[in-house]
Amino acid sequence: PVTPEDLERYTQTVWDSVLHFLVGTEHATMEPPPAVVHFLLQTNLMQTDPEYTGHNAQQEAPLVITEKGYDFLIRDNQQQVWHFCLQYLQVVAANKEKGERMVKEALLLLICLSFSRLGEAYPASALTKSGRRMLKDLAHFGLLYVRELTIPVVPDGGGGGEPTTTTTKTVFYPTRVALSLIGPSTDGASKTTGGKNDAIIASPTAQWSLSSKALEQALAHPTSHDSSHLAIIVQTNFQVCAYTTSELHVSMLALFCDVSTIRRLPNVVFLMMTRNSVKSAFHLGIQARQMLRFLEKHAHPKLRVGQANGSLP
């Protein structure tokens, strides 16, 4: 049986693989499938490297993040998933022959997912052919977990005979992210919009509790440990101190910091912001306001102590 904990790990693993690919993390443990790579290019979240000077740039140039991709990257997970859904609906709607019908089916599927139960399997056979194809697309981004079950077939006639053949059945498990897309999840968690989390988003000081949690987690784990939170201090000499143990966070910082200056401790990473590293980010289409927004969003909570309205010094 698939447990809610298994679904959480699956979602995090799949989504992290997409984000790692987006920022170009070297030696990533898992790469997204070709369909996801095509989607990132199609939605302009990635592009071929404009600075590549090889002979066959169209075929050999590596993929790099775009301005739109970086804006996507610095959002929280819930906003990222919603952005994916909106982009996915736009791609589906681009089909001239079946676009309108497929968009309706996709919206109906997303609404039905919000009324499903976490950890419960649902048969794919209950969906249309287009719906089953959408299952695979949603599974690529960790919204659903699709599994093939082998079921023994008992011969006709009863009598308690032994199964002689087997058949396969496709089922899918909605993840917590899928359940909370349209409405509140069945386990009582509130939505990102319209629920108690609105207060966290609106408050200029409460949202920095995530950074505080990052520091607590980092200090609690003196050895390497995967942390989903980040707390940053930017010093006056442009040295960036990042309390994190996540390679994804390091790759995100490397987009506008000099990776040759990186120094590591068990729970903190040091990098330098230089003129050249920032110019390289500009060449990728990343804007200064996006870098500032990322640093402000993940600023260490101690930076806001004594500041009016929680503003940074």
Side-chain angles (χ1 to χ4, degrees):
V2 178
T3 65
E5 291 73 20
D6 293 333
L7 294 176
E8 292 284 351
R9 285 192 293 269
Y10 168 78
T11 300
Q12 194 65 48
T13 300
V14 172
W15 198 251
D16 281 355
S17 71
V18 176
L19 299 182
H20 276 294
F21 186 80
L22 199 59
V23 298
T25 302
E26 295 184 359
H27 312 299
T29 57
M30 177 180 174
E31 287 194 0
V36 173
V37 177
H38 178 71
F39 179 83
L40 295 176
L41 282 170
Q42 194 175 15
T43 56
N44 198 31
L45 296 179
M46 298 193 78
Q47 64 180 354
T48 54
D49 191 349
E51 297 183 354
Y52 183 76
T53 57
H55 297 292
N56 192 353
Q58 189 66 25
Q59 298 292 332
E60 301 176 359
L63 300 180
V64 294
I65 195 170
T66 63
E67 174 190 346
K68 185 178 178 181
Y70 190 76
D71 193 56
F72 168 83
L73 190 67
I74 61 181
R75 301 180 182 186
D76 60 41
N77 284 356
Q78 190 77 8
Q79 291 176 326
Q80 288 173 343
V81 173
W82 257 116
H83 180 82
F84 155 72
C85 290
L86 293 176
Q87 293 293 323
Y88 180 74
L89 290 175
Q90 290 180 12
V91 171
V92 170
N95 188 317
K96 295 181 179 179
E97 296 181 359
K98 305 178 181 179
E100 185 177 351
R101 179 177 61 82
M102 292 181 66
V103 166
K104 290 180 180 179
E105 286 195 32
L107 287 173
L108 181 60
L109 176 59
L110 292 174
I111 292 173
C112 289
L113 288 176
S114 67
F115 291 97
S116 57
R117 294 182 179 275
L118 185 66
E120 187 169 328
Y122 295 89
S125 58
L127 302 175
T128 64
K129 184 178 180 180
S130 298
R132 292 193 292 271
R133 186 163 55 247
M134 292 174 190
L135 283 184
K136 297 180 180 180
D137 296 334
L138 297 179
H140 286 326
F141 284 86
L143 274 71
L144 300 174
Y145 175 60
V146 181
R147 187 178 183 184
E148 296 283 344
L149 300 180
T150 302
I151 303 174
V153 177
V154 178
D156 295 336
E162 292 292 330
T164 56
T165 59
T166 59
T167 184
T168 58
K169 178 182 179 182
T170 302
V171 298
F172 63 93
Y173 297 82
T175 64
R176 195 182 304 276
V177 175
L179 266 61
S180 60
L181 272 176
I182 306 297
S185 59
T186 54
D187 60 353
S190 63
K191 296 188 298 180
T192 301
T193 57
K196 65 180 180 181
N197 289 339
D198 282 349
I200 298 178
I201 296 174
S203 171
T205 55
Q207 76 180 122
W208 303 102
S209 62
L210 294 178
S211 298
S212 180
K213 185 175 181 180
L215 179 59
E216 293 174 1
Q217 287 194 356
L219 294 177
H221 297 278
T223 57
S224 179
H225 180 77
D226 184 27
S227 172
S228 59
H229 302 285
L230 174 64
I232 295 175
I233 297 174
V234 181
Q235 299 176 338
T236 54
N237 63 349
F238 295 102
Q239 177 173 256
V240 177
C241 307
Y243 288 89
T244 183
T245 52
S246 168
E247 285 299 321
L248 177 60
H249 293 152
V250 176
S251 297
M252 292 168 70
L253 289 168
L255 290 172
F256 56 87
C257 293
D258 188 351
V259 293
S260 65
T261 64
I262 189 171
R263 291 177 291 133
R264 293 176 182 265
L265 292 176
N267 53 16
V268 65
V269 178
F270 301 92
L271 303 98
M272 292 293 297
M273 288 180 63
T274 65
R275 183 187 298 270
N276 288 335
S277 66
V278 173
K279 286 174 64 178
S280 296
F282 288 157
H283 289 156
L284 293 176
I286 300 173
Q287 299 182 5
R289 63 173 178 81
Q290 293 176 311
M291 301 180 212
L292 288 173
R293 199 170 93 197
F294 176 79
L295 294 173
E296 289 175 351
K297 178 180 178 181
H298 297 287
H300 193 288
K302 294 297 183 182
L303 297 177
R304 294 183 171 272
V305 175
Q307 299 297 319
N309 299 322
S311 59
L312 291 174

